[in-house]
Amino acid sequence: MDVLILGGTGLISTAITRQLDAAGHDVTVCNRGESDAAIPESVDRVRADRFGDDFPSRVSGTDPEVVIDMLCFSTSDAELAIEAFGGRIEQYVLTSTIDAYRRPVESNPVPESAPRRPPTSDYGARKANAEDAIREAHDRGAFAATIVRPWTTYGPHGDGNLCHTFGVDTTYLRRLRDGDPIVVHGDGTGLWGPAHRRDVAGAYVGAVGNRTAYGETYNVTAESFPTWNEYYRTLADALDAPEPDLVHVPTDVLLEIAPEKTDFLTDHGRYSTTFDSSKARRDLNYEQSIGLERGAREVIEYLEDRDAITSEDDAFIDALVAEWQETRDGFLERFER
């Protein structure tokens, strides 16, 4: 099919572009042309600012059957897409997020029918509003809509997105590699589910032109869920590093003492949540085929080749670890008296 990807060179969308091209689709990417991501030469390019008011006119010369939108983050973005493509494409695939769900959740795993209000984060709220606008367009026949909700996705792109307690920078990889202590929120037994970008991209390929997916919403998330402790041990194995020195600090303490560094923890890391991707397995042939250690090794090699493993948060983490251990040891000593 003729597929237009809005984005096409990001963490997930680069993999989607490559896989669609390999599957024989005619692929065009539409973005500002500022990325150096490697995509096949057979892929066409259209330069346009997805968020500009002139976006509909900029893409009016394209003639896709399917649009995959990786850059829709609000109601206004959805309205631009509807204006640009309503009535002239067969299928519109919206990239949403599991942040659209309410958390903490009532039970695990979370199905697509779980409550969305209030969403987990402001980002999730904007995505939920975009979903509503796209569903309304689907209902009135503007196009057939498919909504995909990924969870955390990682891969050899940018900083790799191997998340940790304080976000996504690569300081934790450096500390794990060198055997330095790392901070783990809570007791480390909460569940976390990263999925490799090539696996997630495969679900999008399975959705293209798939009439079963028209009007449907899919969780496309990890299907194996290590604890945070096991996650860090797996990253250490991928780094050929020693057994990690895990320093456990209560989550509420971290949120209080470091609000400027705990956005990820506030919106994501503190929740022990799993999501049900069985519908995507059934309809889109989705499969989590790349194990965490294998995928992490790929990311680490990519980062090392670019000298991109940093130490930007070392001073903060060293100070926090030292203070917490001193406080904990003093408390235990006083209590034992």
Side-chain angles (χ1 to χ4, degrees):
M1 300 187 75
D2 193 322
V3 183
L4 175 65
I5 306 176
L6 305 183
T9 56
L11 172 62
I12 302 174
S13 58
T14 299
I16 296 172
T17 299
R18 293 170 179 169
Q19 290 183 26
L20 285 171
D21 180 75
H25 295 284
D26 295 322
V27 183
T28 301
V29 298
C30 176
N31 52 50
R32 289 175 293 184
E34 297 175 354
S35 172
D36 59 358
I39 59 175
E41 292 183 1
S42 54
V43 172
D44 293 327
R45 299 172 185 260
V46 173
R47 289 198 177 192
D49 184 348
R50 169 66 177 84
F51 311 110
D53 290 339
D54 64 342
F55 172 74
S57 64
R58 295 295 295 271
V59 296
S60 61
T62 64
D63 189 26
E65 297 168 274
V66 179
V67 170
I68 298 177
D69 196 342
M70 308 299 293
L71 301 175
C72 181
F73 302 106
S74 66
T75 301
S76 60
D77 293 345
E79 289 170 346
L80 280 174
I82 295 164
E83 180 183 348
F85 303 112
R88 71 182 192 93
I89 65 171
E90 179 177 334
Q91 182 189 22
Y92 173 91
V93 181
L94 170 67
T95 300
S96 186
T97 173
I98 54 84
D99 271 18
Y101 293 116
R102 183 175 70 204
R103 284 192 280 177
V105 300
E106 297 173 355
S107 62
N108 286 316
V110 178
E112 288 83 356
S113 59
R116 294 186 305 150
R117 307 290 184 181
T120 298
S121 63
D122 290 341
Y123 172 72
R126 292 191 296 272
K127 283 287 195 178
N129 291 338
E131 286 188 8
D132 291 343
I134 294 301
R135 282 198 187 92
E136 290 174 4
H138 169 88
D139 290 344
R140 64 175 182 264
F143 41 59
T146 302
I147 297 172
V148 178
R149 293 176 182 153
W151 193 7
T152 182
T153 305
Y154 71 98
H157 182 94
D159 58 19
N161 211 43
L162 287 170
C163 301
H164 56 80
T165 290
F166 295 114
V168 297
D169 67 86
T170 58
T171 302
Y172 263 41
L173 294 177
R174 205 285 304 159
R175 296 184 71 88
L176 286 167
R177 182 185 64 197
D178 296 347
D180 293 339
I182 61 170
V183 175
V184 182
H185 53 283
D187 63 1
T189 60
L191 301 178
W192 185 240
H196 194 283
R197 70 172 183 173
R198 289 199 300 275
D199 286 340
V200 174
Y204 284 84
V205 176
V208 167
N210 181 347
R211 291 184 176 274
T212 301
Y214 291 2
E216 298 295 334
T217 299
Y218 296 94
N219 293 333
V220 178
T221 64
E223 297 186 290
S224 60
F225 313 103
T227 65
W228 280 101
N229 291 334
E230 187 58 32
Y231 171 76
Y232 290 127
R233 292 189 182 103
T234 302
L235 294 188
D237 289 342
L239 286 156
D240 296 320
E243 176 73 14
D245 182 0
L246 307 180
V247 179
H248 296 97
V249 180
T251 300
D252 58 349
V253 171
L254 294 174
L255 294 173
E256 185 170 350
I257 66 172
E260 75 285 358
K261 291 184 178 293
T262 50
D263 287 347
F264 168 78
L265 192 57
T266 298
D267 292 341
H268 298 277
R270 64 176 168 159
Y271 298 110
S272 183
T273 311
T274 64
F275 299 88
D276 184 0
S277 293
S278 60
K279 185 177 173 184
R281 286 201 311 271
R282 182 194 69 204
D283 293 353
L284 311 180
N285 293 319
Y286 172 63
E287 179 185 11
Q288 187 177 11
S289 63
I290 301 172
L292 178 58
E293 183 175 348
R294 172 188 163 194
R297 284 185 182 274
E298 182 181 328
V299 171
I300 290 162
E301 181 180 356
Y302 167 87
L303 294 171
E304 289 178 337
D305 285 347
R306 290 158 179 76
D307 194 25
I309 295 179
T310 69
S311 300
E312 59 188 80
D313 259 0
D314 270 344
F316 165 73
I317 295 170
D318 285 337
L320 176 57
V321 167
E323 186 67 32
W324 177 255
Q325 290 180 329
E326 181 179 347
T327 299
R328 180 179 179 277
D329 291 346
F331 170 79
L332 291 174
E333 182 178 346
R334 290 191 297 274
F335 189 83
E336 287 170 355
R337 291 176 183 172

